[in-house]
Amino acid sequence: MEVVNHLNNLQDYARTLKDTRLSSIKHPAEFFNWRQFSRPKDMQEYMKRAGYNVKYFSANYALVVALLAVYSLLTNMLLVVALGFLIGGFLAIGRYVPEPLEFSGKVVTPQQLYIGLFVIGIPLLWFAAPLSTFFWLVGSSGCVIGAHAGLMEPGVEAEYASVETV
């Protein structure tokens, strides 16, 4: 019964995601329209373009960040192993060891298992360098999105974006 509830929650989340975020993704031909790329004449024009394009292409930029995050995880397999070990360990101890166990005359409590998980998992996570991966993701996303948003000229619809509909 619990699995069915989780599947229903996942389906509801997928529906809301499809209705909100995925429906606002612009077509790749519009996102990669190289004819609309030009150098802005000054910083004010760059900021105006970036402000409009970040709103207009927000779902596409979220997809770019997600793809860069997947790339960073694929290139840092030690981080994937460390996160899998820690998350899997927490889930396994919480699910399969609710009360103390006895091994060859010694009692092992869930708290001791969590301590063992931390003793092994935290140094493993430290060597995986999650902070450098996070800052690489922030920097690379900022460069890619900043370049695209500032160099792409807004379309004709940008002129009418500030006009309120009555």
Side-chain angles (χ1 to χ4, degrees):
M1 188 66 179
E2 184 179 325
V3 174
V4 173
N5 289 336
H6 287 300
L7 287 175
N8 287 335
N9 290 341
L10 188 63
Q11 287 175 341
D12 292 339
Y13 178 72
R15 269 190 225 107
T16 59
L17 183 68
K18 181 181 177 190
D19 293 340
T20 57
R21 277 288 195 199
L22 294 179
S23 64
S24 62
I25 290 179
K26 306 299 183 223
H27 193 272
E30 183 179 0
F31 188 69
F32 295 113
N33 188 356
W34 299 113
R35 286 176 273 154
Q36 284 186 306
F37 278 79
S38 68
R39 186 173 155 223
K41 64 181 175 200
D42 57 6
M43 190 64 170
Q44 184 178 3
E45 184 181 354
Y46 174 86
M47 294 304 288
K48 183 179 175 184
R49 286 182 185 186
Y52 175 77
N53 285 332
V54 164
K55 289 179 199 165
Y56 188 72
F57 291 114
S58 64
N60 292 68
Y61 292 148
L63 187 62
V64 167
V65 171
L67 290 173
L68 286 171
V70 168
Y71 173 77
S72 68
L73 286 175
L74 289 175
T75 58
N76 191 352
M77 289 309 289
L78 184 59
L79 181 60
V80 174
V81 169
L83 289 175
F85 178 76
L86 285 169
I87 293 170
F90 274 112
L91 292 175
I93 292 170
R95 176 168 282 209
Y96 298 116
V97 189
E99 53 197 41
L101 298 172
E102 186 176 337
F103 285 116
S104 63
K106 295 187 179 186
V107 176
V108 179
T109 64
Q111 291 80 15
Q112 291 171 329
L113 291 175
Y114 283 121
I115 290 171
L117 183 67
F118 276 133
V119 166
I120 297 170
I122 297 300
L124 185 63
L125 190 64
W126 179 264
F127 287 121
L131 287 178
S132 66
T133 303
F134 172 75
F135 286 121
W136 177 87
L137 180 62
V138 169
S140 61
S141 299
C143 288
V144 169
I145 292 169
H148 184 273
L151 295 176
M152 186 166 194
E153 294 177 9
V156 176
E157 66 275 358
E159 298 296 327
Y160 301 104
S162 61
V163 177
E164 293 183 23
T165 58
V166 179

